[in-house]
Amino acid sequence: MRISSSGIDMAGAASSSVLSAEDFEALRKFRADAYAPVGKAIDFLVERFENPPSLEETAAQVGMSPAHFQRVFKAGAGVSPKRFLQYLAAGEARRAMGEGASVLEASYCAGLSGPSRLHDLFLVAEAMTPGAYRNKGAGETIRYARVPGPFGEALMGATDKGVCWLSFIAGVGYARALAEMKGDWPAAVYVEDPAFVGPLAARAFAFARGLRLDRPLGLHVQGTNFQLKVWEALLRIPLGETATYGDIARALDAPRASRAVGAAVGANMISLLIPCHRVILSTGVVHNYRWGAARKKALLAIESALARPATTAA
């Protein structure tokens, strides 16, 4: 797997575990606007995970009956509220030191994220040429829109080559999120186009949940050579696992470059799809996420639950 100016495929091999036909059908029918209560519920559960609210309390928070809320949450997040809380709590105690190194080693040996659930899924990533990178998006048209998602509203931008921006709006606001995107691609032409972006967003959120896609989802990235190498390493961290900045530096044969790795992780423009949220401190502490530590914990909890199929009803 390599991100290059010529463009390459990044495929994730998975375990034999796949979504049930029932779950896949539920997601296919899931309306994008139905993500709103899921995002609100996730924020509520993260805020109160040390003293978990009941299903009834959480359902009331989003104005639904418990039974209806259970179905909506499972369809949008991929796991039940109970399993989300279980993995949110477990994540605080489970992040084993040194685990990230073995995870990355295994992924590199497998050629990609072998242990993950990204079964037969593909991202096609194309990096800007050095000349285009220096021009900061000149000649590109970026179509963008606010899109609802399971972790709240997001801002997505895309060129004809693929998704070039994905950020969460909560905590920073739409105006700031839009300004950040335009700051990273200052010479591009911007067109607000929900009709163009909406289908990309639906496929992006499906991919993030480990669903098979009917065709590759394109990414269009810009960065220095070192940043591209770091983002490639992020794509090798399997769903449900984490790595430290030091783990990534060592995987790049630059063991003293942890701070540079941190800067490259922070410069990632495509949240969720290039999973910078899977990088944690060597102490196991979850922080330093561009869109807030609470959102990072929620993402890791959802992914842990998705990567470990339930053995009992939850």
Side-chain angles (χ1 to χ4, degrees), residues 39 43 46 151-152 168 170-171 289 291-300:
D43 287 344
V46 170
F151 298 96
F168 300 107
Y289 190 51
W291 299 280
R295 196 161 306 280
K296 184 171 182 173
K297 290 177 181 178
L299 286 166
L300 292 174

Side-chain angles (χ1 to χ4, degrees), residues 17 51 58-59 125 213 215 259 261 307:
S17 176
N51 186 21
T58 310
L213 299 183
R215 62 188 184 280
R259 289 192 177 184
V261 166

Side-chain angles (χ1 to χ4, degrees), residues 195-220:
F196 178 83
V197 173
L200 289 175
R203 299 178 71 242
F205 293 134
F207 181 87
R209 282 196 45 198
L211 285 175
R212 303 178 188 184
L213 299 183
D214 56 341
R215 62 188 184 280
L217 176 65
L219 303 182
H220 192 188

Side-chain angles (χ1 to χ4, degrees), residues 89-113:
E92 296 299 307
R94 192 184 62 85
R95 313 203 195 287
M97 300 311 98
E99 186 176 293
S102 62
V103 164
L104 280 176
E105 287 172 9
S107 295
Y108 272 76
C109 289
L112 205 69
S113 44

Side-chain angles (χ1 to χ4, degrees), residues 42-43 46-47 49 84 88 91-92 95 151 168 170-172 245 276-281 284-301:
I42 285 175
D43 287 344
V46 170
E47 288 173 7
F49 86 93
F84 172 67
L88 189 63
E92 296 299 307
R95 313 203 195 287
F151 298 96
F168 300 107
V172 299
Y245 298 98
C276 54
H277 59 277
R278 294 178 192 166
V279 185
I280 62 175
L281 293 178
V285 173
V286 175
H287 83 324
N288 282 356
Y289 190 51
R290 192 171 182 174
W291 299 280
R295 196 161 306 280
K296 184 171 182 173
K297 290 177 181 178
L299 286 166
L300 292 174

Side-chain angles (χ1 to χ4, degrees), residues 30 42 47 57 80 103 113 132 224 233 264 272 283:
F30 197 70
I42 285 175
E47 288 173 7
E57 290 175 294
S80 69
V103 164
S113 44
T224 66
L272 203 61
T283 59

Side-chain angles (χ1 to χ4, degrees), residues 83 87 305 308-314:
R83 274 177 59 74
Y87 278 91
R308 296 163 179 83
T311 55
T312 57

